[in-house]
Amino acid sequence: MTTHTVPPAPHFGRSPKATWDLILQPLTTHLCDLEAHLLHGQPLQDSLLSYTSLQHHHTLFLAGHSLLLGVTLLFQHDADPQTLGLVQDLACTVERLLPSEVSLPGVFEELAEDLQRDRTNGAPLHLHEVHQTATLLLQRFTLLDHPRPALFQSSVLFPQLHQPTLSPDHPLTPPLTALHPDPTLAPERQAREAALYALLENATLSEEQHAALLLLHLNARDRYTNHPVNVFLNMAGGCLLIARDRHTEARTSAVHTQALRAHLQAMHQELGRVRVAALRPGSLIERPDRPRIVHRALNLLRQTHYHQLTDASPVEAAQQHLLWRALDRLEDQWRQDLSPLQREQLHVRLMLRCCCALTDMHRAPGMGLPPLVEVAAQLSGLDPLWGWKALQPDIQIPPHENVALALRQVLTLLDLADSFQIDELGERLRDAAGHLLACCRHAGLRLPQQAAFERMYVISDAG
């Protein structure tokens, strides 16, 4: 085994410790604010946290302090791979729970490179996993006889909330049986589910097991929302490429790999042939890249398991609140004596709000929608699959061509126009509406009710 030496200088990733203190400062501020709120009832500084539950606050508090513990260990040159993995998972957890623009998980890729660890970003942790992770990190401090961070030592709340927990299953490597999806309720997909479980049971390689589980999740997409189908298909395909090559190298039977690939191709066809690099002829995974692909597949399964059991994030909860307000406003206004034009304006406004909600989530044929979004789509007459391929949230789109950003801009200006009489708003709204139409054209889309939208906001087709 190759031993990697960590440089003796206090250096974290490619940035000095002072830089990392600045990066983590918003987290420490939130933790102090949260402790004052939970202990003494002081108002929260971040209003988005008011949309979340007490358990959310407890999990954020414990995960945030645990993240500071883990980062302190890394500063003190603890190059243990499990410490890095736990820190990456805690960073994902905090980013999910913390209503902040600071992106924490990505910054740990720097450290992974410096430690020459070929790892990918982690997965968010459930509350019981946060308790276990904190226990493991505290044990590491005891083992290495390192001082704990000052903020942790001064916290009154952490010892009250933390439940020391150890489990035979490590948070980074849960048993695959814990990652099974709920069974599909779609009759046309139940036979495939049984076939995939049989292949999972008889798989001889871990890559086959991961691929089978990924395909089972896709097959049960009616039970879930916001599944990134293109990511699942690509990851399953990558695992099967590795399995194929491993069977070839070992001269063992690839019958299960071939059967799983047949299911992958059928589901690819069923989902409208989204782009799947692993299905291109001649595709292969280089031997040095294999562990990283398998690690990514496991993390994708862990992320999915987390999202299917957890509550909405602060941002998601705030978006749901806005949609509820839009529906309530529509109901109140609908009861009034409105002209046909005013009713049409209400429908267009609801359409825009619903399009905005849809562009923020992954969609696919046969996949469920959050109940509130489904109600809004029904009321607006909007096809829930409008632009689902072109507007996947994880597709990198330049800001000036981004339909989701353009929708938010139009809605923000409409909300401002409801509250303030500002002369410049009309011109800015016309510009924003034209920009939205241009973004839609670039994506090969037309807005639902586009003719009414253009007529209302006096948009020339030059956009």
Side-chain angles (χ1 to χ4, degrees), residues 233 264-276 279:
L233 290 168
L264 171 64
Q265 290 170 326
M267 295 174 81
H268 180 229
Q269 185 76 31
E270 192 177 285
L271 289 165
R273 300 185 67 82
V274 296
R275 185 176 300 174
V276 179
L279 287 177

Side-chain angles (χ1 to χ4, degrees), residues 206-241:
S206 61
E207 292 84 359
E208 292 173 339
Q209 293 175 320
H210 286 87
L213 275 173
L214 290 165
L215 293 177
L216 279 163
H217 275 279
L218 269 184
N219 194 61
R221 61 190 178 276
D222 56 299
R223 303 297 304 275
Y224 304 110
T225 61
N226 206 17
H227 257 30
V229 294
N230 52 329
V231 178
F232 275 78
L233 290 168
N234 270 297
M235 199 59 67
C239 287
L240 293 176
L241 288 175

Side-chain angles (χ1 to χ4, degrees), residues 443-459:
L445 299 171
R446 281 181 60 85
L447 273 180
Q449 305 175 45
Q450 180 162 314
F453 177 80
E454 290 177 330
R455 186 170 64 252
M456 281 173 201
Y457 301 108
V458 199
I459 305 301

Side-chain angles (χ1 to χ4, degrees), residues 122-124 126 174-181 200 206-218 227 231-232 235-236 239 293-308:
H126 296 289
L176 292 185
T177 52
L179 303 178
H180 286 192
L200 174 63
S206 61
E207 292 84 359
E208 292 173 339
Q209 293 175 320
H210 286 87
L213 275 173
L214 290 165
L215 293 177
L216 279 163
H217 275 279
L218 269 184
H227 257 30
V231 178
F232 275 78
M235 199 59 67
C239 287
I293 297 298
V294 174
H295 186 257
R296 279 186 177 176
L298 177 61
N299 272 355
L300 179 58
L301 290 166
R302 292 175 59 218
Q303 291 161 11
T304 304
H305 183 256
Y306 174 88
H307 288 299
Q308 72 192 52

Side-chain angles (χ1 to χ4, degrees), residues 42-63:
Q42 293 185 13
L44 289 165
Q45 297 300 311
D46 197 314
S47 60
L48 282 179
L49 279 176
S50 63
Y51 294 111
T52 56
S53 66
L54 181 61
Q55 179 170 307
H56 180 109
H57 295 170
H58 287 176
T59 308
L60 172 57
F61 184 82
L62 290 167

Side-chain angles (χ1 to χ4, degrees), residues 19 31 37 41-42 57 65 138 151 155 160 209-210 217 220-221 235 289 307 342 349 354 363 433 436 440:
T19 302
L31 291 175
H37 171 74
Q42 293 185 13
H57 295 170
H65 269 289
L138 288 170
L151 182 66
S155 174
Q160 296 178 18
Q209 293 175 320
H210 286 87
H217 275 279
R221 61 190 178 276
M235 199 59 67
D289 293 331
H307 288 299
Q342 289 172 317
R349 183 81 72 92
C354 189
R363 293 163 289 144
L436 171 58
C440 287

Side-chain angles (χ1 to χ4, degrees), residues 318-328 353-354 357 372-373 376:
Q319 289 170 342
Q320 291 174 12
H321 178 70
L322 286 174
L323 196 51
W324 268 123
R325 283 180 54 193
L327 292 176
D328 287 343
R353 185 73 66 186
C354 189
L372 185 57
V373 177

